[in-house]
Amino acid sequence: MHAEAIDKDKIPAHVAIIMDGNGRWAKSKGFMTRIKGHENGVEALRNATTACAELGVKYLTVYAFSTENWSRPKMEVNALMRLLVGALSNELDTLMKNNIRLQAIGELASLPNDCFRQLHDVIDVTKNNTHMTLTLALSYSSKTEIISAVKSIAKEVEAGTLSADAIDEKVFASHLYTKDMPDPDLLIRTSGEYRISNYLLWQIAYAELHFTNKLWPDFTKEDLYLAIVDYQHRERRFGKTGEQLKVN
Ligand code: IPE
Ligand code: IPE
Ligand code: MG
């Protein structure tokens, strides 16, 4: 699939990716540890990021580490955190060159201190970049995000600054980590798994879903183009009939 096949007038504003299959990739290549898969996943992320920026995608949000991933063997968790620190400093150039702002969502306070610091450094250095926003979901759980939104709304009601009747979708969304972003238009999951794994449950209410068997380290720019062309062939009806869409 080439970039020319893409309709430049129908680029999704927000693409979300569940980057899955690093461990299986390492195993299939005969590596002794799953870590090699994560290492090679960094390059796939760089390719997907620059491809999205070139196409004019405004938001790319990637699932890098779930809350549930903390229960993996300590060695793997440590390696992932080390890799994150390294990638953040190595990729700063790419982010600056492409005018990309970095953000992170999740329970960031659970990250090891050096990761947390490094992450905030890169967020700070890139904060005025305007071409695209890359958001890392780190120590992320959508259910936790929703509960924390509910708690902060409840506190406002308790304090008398918000009436219960005023709670609507807009108010609720404004309490999520993703409050400053539009909802994803397209969600991609690699590695042949057909599940959401606690990712952006509220936000993907009307996202188009694209699943591919490719393992994340093998995911190329062409695979991204394929996902976008697939998305462009969908009819997004938002509850209406196909006929209604043709009239408007
Ligand atoms: C995705 O790959 C990366 C993370 C979850 C951190 P996996 O590590 O889940 O790889 P598989 O799914 O076991 O192959
Ligand atoms: C989802 O992948 C989380 C990330 C990609 C970071 P997992 O590999 O953890 O998901 P499950 O456990 O297979 O659902
Ligand atoms: Mg996995």
Side-chain angles (χ1 to χ4, degrees):
M1 185 62 66
H2 297 288
E4 295 80 62
I6 295 172
D7 179 349
K8 298 285 183 299
D9 296 325
K10 278 174 73 181
I11 300 293
H14 187 172
V15 175
I17 308 183
I18 302 176
M19 309 183 289
D20 197 16
N22 295 351
R24 279 164 284 167
W25 182 91
K27 197 169 175 196
S28 76
K29 299 280 174 197
F31 289 113
M32 298 295 285
T33 72
R34 299 166 46 86
I35 319 293
K36 279 280 170 209
H38 300 312
E39 285 170 11
N40 283 275
V42 175
E43 192 186 331
L45 176 56
R46 186 188 317 117
N47 291 336
T49 303
T50 50
C52 281
E54 282 157 18
L55 290 172
V57 170
K58 295 312 284 179
Y59 296 88
L60 172 63
T61 303
V62 298
Y63 208 177
F65 193 84
S66 71
T67 306
E68 291 79 12
N69 289 148
W70 288 114
S71 13
R72 291 192 178 192
K74 209 169 165 24
M75 213 177 80
E76 180 168 346
V77 171
N78 290 343
L80 276 164
M81 294 301 145
R82 262 202 320 278
L83 197 62
L84 177 65
V85 179
L88 283 167
S89 63
N90 290 338
E91 304 302 327
L92 183 58
D93 251 16
T94 312
L95 296 175
M96 293 311 287
K97 258 190 220 129
N98 291 280
N99 194 12
I100 298 168
R101 172 170 72 133
L102 187 81
Q103 277 191 170
I105 54 172
E107 294 299 300
L108 305 179
S110 315
L111 296 172
N113 285 337
D114 57 337
C115 281
F116 186 84
R117 248 182 287 119
Q118 185 73 28
L119 182 65
H120 277 280
D121 281 352
V122 178
I123 290 174
D124 197 50
V125 174
T126 62
K127 69 170 186 274
N128 294 322
N129 290 348
T130 52
H131 183 63
M132 186 177 88
T133 300
L134 169 65
T135 304
L136 302 179
L138 280 171
S139 189
Y140 177 83
S141 148
S142 185
K143 286 190 174 180
T144 304
E145 177 185 30
I146 288 169
I147 298 279
S148 94
V150 169
K151 274 189 189 159
S152 78
I153 290 171
K155 280 181 188 153
E156 288 180 24
V157 173
E158 216 168 42
T161 54
L162 178 70
S163 88
D165 285 335
I167 302 169
D168 58 11
E169 289 184 17
K170 219 169 143 214
V171 167
F172 189 79
S174 74
H175 286 78
L176 294 170
Y177 305 144
T178 51
K179 59 177 180 295
D180 297 321
M181 290 190 248
D183 285 343
D185 301 293
L186 167 64
L187 171 70
I188 301 170
R189 183 169 188 149
T190 57
S191 88
E193 304 294 355
Y194 296 84
R195 56 178 172 266
I196 303 299
S197 302
N198 205 4
Y199 193 44
L200 303 173
L201 299 177
W202 168 278
Q203 296 87 339
I204 59 166
Y206 263 108
E208 296 297 330
L209 310 180
H210 175 90
F211 296 97
T212 165
N213 287 330
K214 278 279 183 91
L215 302 172
W216 179 250
D218 286 332
F219 191 84
T220 61
K221 286 192 172 193
E222 287 68 33
D223 294 312
L224 181 88
Y225 300 154
L226 192 72
I228 291 184
V229 169
D230 181 25
Y231 161 85
Q232 293 184 332
H233 285 114
R234 307 280 179 88
E235 184 176 59
R236 302 188 77 190
R237 288 192 284 274
F238 298 100
K240 295 188 177 171
T241 67
E243 288 69 28
Q244 282 177 299
L245 296 178
K246 277 173 197 98
V247 175
N248 297 316

